[in-house]
Amino acid sequence: MALHFVTDDATDAQPGDAVTLTGPEAHHAASVRRVRVDEAVTLGDGRGVWLSGVVTALGPKQVDVRVTGREEVAASVPRFVLVQALAKGDRDELAVQAATELGVDEIVPWQAARSVSRWDAKADKGLARWRTIVREAAKQAHRAWVPEVEGVARTADLVARAGAYVVLVLEPTASVRLTEVAAEASDGRDVVLVVGPEGGIAPEELSALEDAGARLVRLGDTVLRTSTAGAAAISVLSAAHGRW
């Protein structure tokens, strides 16, 4: 499979045009992935444009690609949104990376009541880190759409979403399995998966979400880490909705 790279210049490029990779993307192509002249590659803008092309020239700071084909990939419907609680260490980052590779369409960092990690004044840095992880994971997975990473949400923000979206809260004590409702989970609205932190979702948060219309579901009889629960749930939804 051809190596894939992301650049905004892909948006308007047509077959026969030349697209030049510069900056970090050129470094990644030339020095890390070690592309060669005449090698076939693919390019995208992360918003649905998908180009096939051939490397025509390269250097440590610039890689030229001649476009040979263009496709526009439609966004997924329904969209899968992962609300990932902030977690200590790199557990939330692992969750974001895996969910991106597995097909999530949007990611929302959640400052849950029991989140050990507190972004607060460093929210901008945290968002930048997550967006970098998502971009690189989407490239690795050869995705035409790079998931959006929204600003940090509080529980009140999730409650407000419940009226416009199908909200499924992963809760090990729930009586309903995700597999039982996955195929019928969406009526055209986006599906929002809420994953709590290491200590679980606080009772008052569960109550607030349920009162707003969210549904509590469990993945199975075991309890997964916050770093893997979202990825597992995205896999279930993807299979149920025919993406896999």
Side-chain angles (χ1 to χ4, degrees):
M1 182 177 289
L3 297 176
H4 182 63
F5 304 98
V6 177
T7 172
D8 288 338
D9 291 341
T11 301
D12 298 320
Q14 300 293 329
D17 290 348
V19 174
T20 299
L21 301 179
T22 58
E25 202 71 354
H27 171 78
H28 182 69
S31 301
V32 179
R33 303 310 299 268
R34 298 186 180 279
V35 298
R36 295 292 182 261
V37 172
D38 294 331
E39 182 174 354
V41 297
T42 58
L43 306 175
D45 65 353
R47 298 181 297 278
V49 171
W50 188 269
L51 307 176
S52 54
V54 177
V55 176
T56 57
L58 62 86
K61 297 183 179 180
Q62 179 173 317
V63 176
D64 296 330
V65 177
R66 176 173 55 84
V67 179
T68 58
R70 177 186 172 97
E71 180 183 358
E72 296 189 22
V73 180
S76 298
V77 178
R79 297 170 71 250
F80 299 154
V81 180
L82 173 64
V83 174
Q84 175 62 51
L86 302 183
K88 64 182 179 181
D90 61 352
R91 290 179 182 174
D92 49 15
E93 294 180 356
L94 291 172
V96 166
Q97 180 183 48
T100 300
E101 292 179 11
L102 293 168
V104 77
D105 301 297
E106 180 183 338
I107 295 171
V108 180
W110 175 32
Q111 188 73 72
R114 291 178 174 173
S115 289
V116 175
S117 175
R118 314 298 295 186
W119 279 7
D120 299 324
K122 58 180 181 180
D124 289 344
K125 182 178 179 180
L127 285 172
R129 173 65 177 163
W130 279 29
R131 286 167 180 157
T132 297
I133 291 170
V134 165
R135 178 185 173 92
E136 294 306 310
K139 283 169 53 179
Q140 189 279 329
H142 287 220
R143 294 191 57 183
W145 288 84
V146 175
E148 302 172 9
V149 179
E150 300 297 330
V152 182
R154 305 285 175 171
T155 302
D157 300 318
L158 305 189
V159 169
R161 278 186 178 233
Y165 301 87
V166 175
V167 179
L168 303 175
V169 182
L170 298 187
E171 168 53 44
T173 64
S175 60
V176 177
R177 294 175 183 264
L178 177 59
T179 51
E180 296 174 27
V181 301
E184 297 80 27
S186 174
D187 51 10
R189 294 178 294 169
D190 291 348
V191 179
V192 178
L193 287 166
V194 180
V195 179
E198 300 94 325
I201 301 174
E204 62 272 18
E205 292 175 320
L206 289 174
S207 296
L209 289 166
E210 276 196 290
D211 290 345
R215 189 168 189 177
L216 306 189
V217 296
R218 62 188 172 97
L219 285 167
D221 296 329
T222 58
V223 179
L224 301 184
R225 290 181 181 272
T226 187
S227 56
T228 55
I234 291 294
S235 300
V236 172
L237 287 175
S238 293
H241 285 265
R243 293 195 188 183
W244 288 12

